[in-house]
């Protein structure tokens, strides 16, 4: 009945937006509670509906807050509208919003098509990934305001990728991944050691360059716009969870794509391209970037190992665990950096497979 009522609300929204009688086809859901539909009329062509009602999901975990609140995960469509407007003003391609109902959590978006970043064999198209890394170099040069305007005079405050957010994410590993891997929960001693390692690493990020972190800047969220030029050829569709944090995070997200294996040679090429693009920037420190990149790669991989198991065990989305071997490989690579040696030893001692190279 709830689904039926929601469907009727969507039809009413479309009617009021000039899309009466439009054909509707379910497209996809994602790791969140959002869902998408293709909306098509003979006169107006094809659009994409984002169906994202505000939902407060999950139990209280810490200081009276739920996971989404601590990790700064968007729970309504307002951050998408605000961040999308900022990115558009900065010269990036984001879907134009053709109609919106912020209270209902409904957005009717420009259709960016389905041409992505991969070839027919589901392998990265190098030129497209190069353009994507160019996007990040351009983004990280810009000044990002703390507050972004919303319709009606309100503002969206971009949250910080702070210690609490980083820690609640990595804690998904002992909470979900280790029991999945070993069949039992980790000891208190491991949890204390794990926490100490990560707090020390987060301390090292205090001097890392800060920028807008789009958070899931990887191939599923990048659609190729062949009729555009330069960085606008990369269509951005997932940025509602954006924060202010280490610029290296989105580089890590791209070069260690969670859904597609990025060959080591391509990873190194993209990182080198990013460095070359940034070397002329007064605030760019290549050594500090390399350290922050290694930490962010390990942080993201650690989070994803736990998150993908949680999606299977808690949310009934088993497909994500097929990506675990890839994430484990990425983690092994990132833990080779000298600054991560204590974390390497911590993980090794609980049986997380790590090489010795």
């Amino acid at each position: 009945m709830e689904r039926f009522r929601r469907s009727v609300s969507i039809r009413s929204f479309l009617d009021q937006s000039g899309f009466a009688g439009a054909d509707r086809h379910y497209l996809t859901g994602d790791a969140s509670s959002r869902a998408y539909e293709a909306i098509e009329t003979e006169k107006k062509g094809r659009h994409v509906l984002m169906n994202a009602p505000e939902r407060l999901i999950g139990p209280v975990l810490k200081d009276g807050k739920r996971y989404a609140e601590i990790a700064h995960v968007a729970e309504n469509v307002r951050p998408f509208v605000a961040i999308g407007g900022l990115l558009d003003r900065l010269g990036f391609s984001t879907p134009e919003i053709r109609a919106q109902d912020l209270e209902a959590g409904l957005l009717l978006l420009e259709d960016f098509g389905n041409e992505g970043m991969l070839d027919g064999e589901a392998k990265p198209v190098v030129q497209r990934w190069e353009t994507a890394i160019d996007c990040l170099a351009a983004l990280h040069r810009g000044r990002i305001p703390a507050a972004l305007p919303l319709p009606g005079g309100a503002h969206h405050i971009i949250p910080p990728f702070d210690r609490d957010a980083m820690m609640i994410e990595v804690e998904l590993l002992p909470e979900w991944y280790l029991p999945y891997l070993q069949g039992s929960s980790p000891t208190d001693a491991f949890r204390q050691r794990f926490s100490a390692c990560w707090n020390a690493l987060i301390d090292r990020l205090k001097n890392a360059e800060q920028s807008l972190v789009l958070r899931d800047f990887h191939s599923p969220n990048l659609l190729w716009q062949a009729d555009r030029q330069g960085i606008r050829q990369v269509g951005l569709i997932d940025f509602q969870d954006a924060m202010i944090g280490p610029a290296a995070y989105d580089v890590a997200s791209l070069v260690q794509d969670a859904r597609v294996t990025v060959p080591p040679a391509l990873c190194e090429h993209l990182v080198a391209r990013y460095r070359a693009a940034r070397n002329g920037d007064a605030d760019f420190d290549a050594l500090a970037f390399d350290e922050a990149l290694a930490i962010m790669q390990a942080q993201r991989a650690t989070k994803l190992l736990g998150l993908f198991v949680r999606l299977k065990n808690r949310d009934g989305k088993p497909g994500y665990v097929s990506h675990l071997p890839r994430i484990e490989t990425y983690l092994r690579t990132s833990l080779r950096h000298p600054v991560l040696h204590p974390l390497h030893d911590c993980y090794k001692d609980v049986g997380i497979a790590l090489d010795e190279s």
Side-chain angles (χ1 to χ4, degrees):
M1 185 56 66
E2 182 182 351
R3 286 186 180 183
F4 175 76
R5 285 194 293 264
R6 185 66 177 173
S7 183
V8 171
S9 296
I10 291 172
R11 177 59 68 186
S12 176
F13 166 71
L14 293 173
D15 290 349
Q16 294 170 16
S17 303
F19 286 79
D23 290 332
R24 295 169 55 189
H25 302 283
Y26 177 77
L27 282 177
T28 184
D30 59 18
S32 74
S33 61
R34 292 183 298 274
Y36 299 86
E37 294 183 18
I39 306 297
E40 193 163 3
T41 69
E42 185 175 345
K43 290 185 178 180
K44 296 189 177 183
R46 179 180 161 111
H47 292 71
V48 173
L49 175 84
M50 180 191 290
N51 176 14
E54 183 165 5
R55 288 179 179 160
L56 307 180
I57 299 175
V60 171
L61 299 178
K62 180 182 178 183
D63 298 331
K65 296 180 179 180
R66 294 167 293 102
Y67 177 90
E69 294 175 283
I70 300 169
H72 307 307
V73 175
E75 296 184 295
N76 58 62
V77 298
R78 290 175 178 81
F80 183 93
V81 173
I83 298 293
L86 170 66
L87 292 171
D88 180 68
R89 293 190 292 275
L90 292 174
F92 299 93
S93 288
T94 61
E96 182 182 340
I97 299 174
R98 304 285 167 77
Q100 59 189 343
D101 184 335
L102 301 188
E103 291 299 322
L106 295 171
L107 300 177
L108 191 61
L109 306 173
E110 174 187 5
D111 180 20
F112 269 177
N114 57 12
E115 187 175 357
M117 306 290 285
L118 310 176
D119 62 18
E121 298 179 349
K123 295 180 180 179
V125 177
V126 172
Q127 184 259 326
R128 298 181 183 183
W129 288 61
E130 290 174 338
T131 306
I133 205 74
D134 293 346
C135 283
L136 294 179
L139 178 64
H140 297 160
R141 290 193 193 99
R143 290 182 176 272
I144 308 299
L148 303 177
L150 282 165
H155 286 80
H156 169 63
I157 306 301
I158 306 175
F161 196 11
D162 53 20
R163 184 182 303 272
D164 285 347
M166 292 187 190
M167 287 301 298
I168 199 71
E169 288 187 340
V170 296
E171 286 166 1
L172 292 172
L173 182 139
E175 187 70 22
W176 294 94
Y177 176 73
L178 279 182
Y180 172 84
L181 182 69
Q182 300 176 335
S184 60
S185 296
T187 64
D188 289 342
F190 170 79
R191 290 180 182 274
Q192 292 171 6
R193 184 181 180 189
F194 176 88
S195 179
C197 284
W198 272 111
N199 273 295
L201 290 170
I202 293 169
D203 286 342
R204 298 189 70 95
L205 293 171
K206 288 179 180 177
N207 296 322
E209 181 185 30
Q210 302 288 299
S211 184
L212 187 69
V213 173
L214 300 184
R215 205 165 191 165
D216 281 317
F217 192 88
H218 59 171
S219 61
N221 297 330
L222 307 175
L223 292 172
W224 189 250
Q225 307 300 296
D227 59 338
R228 303 185 183 187
Q229 300 296 318
I231 60 173
R232 287 187 56 78
Q233 290 181 297
V234 178
L236 310 177
I237 62 170
D238 189 322
F239 40 77
Q240 62 280 332
D241 297 332
M243 304 174 291
I244 300 295
Y249 184 91
D250 281 341
V251 178
S253 181
L254 179 67
V255 304
Q256 291 192 344
D257 191 298
R259 314 285 185 86
V260 177
T261 298
V262 180
L266 177 57
C267 173
E268 293 171 6
H269 169 68
L270 293 172
V271 172
R273 185 181 179 95
Y274 177 87
R275 283 198 210 95
R278 297 295 317 282
N279 274 337
D281 297 343
D283 295 335
F284 182 71
D285 182 327
L287 289 178
F289 165 76
D290 287 348
E291 180 177 291
L293 179 63
I295 295 172
M296 291 290 84
Q297 286 175 332
Q299 194 273 345
R300 182 168 172 81
T302 296
K303 175 192 77 170
L304 290 176
L305 290 175
L307 177 62
F308 286 176
V309 173
R310 188 179 74 174
L311 284 167
K312 173 184 180 293
N313 291 351
R314 189 193 74 178
D315 302 334
K317 299 178 179 181
Y320 287 90
V321 296
S322 66
H323 302 299
L324 293 181
R326 178 182 303 110
I327 306 304
E328 291 163 348
T329 298
Y330 289 152
L331 181 60
R332 285 194 292 271
T333 300
S334 66
L335 290 175
R336 293 172 186 163
H337 193 284
V339 76
L340 291 162
H341 283 174
L343 188 67
H344 172 284
D345 294 342
C346 175
Y347 284 7
K348 177 184 175 184
D349 287 349
V350 293
I352 298 177
L354 299 169
D355 61 20
E356 298 297 326
S357 58

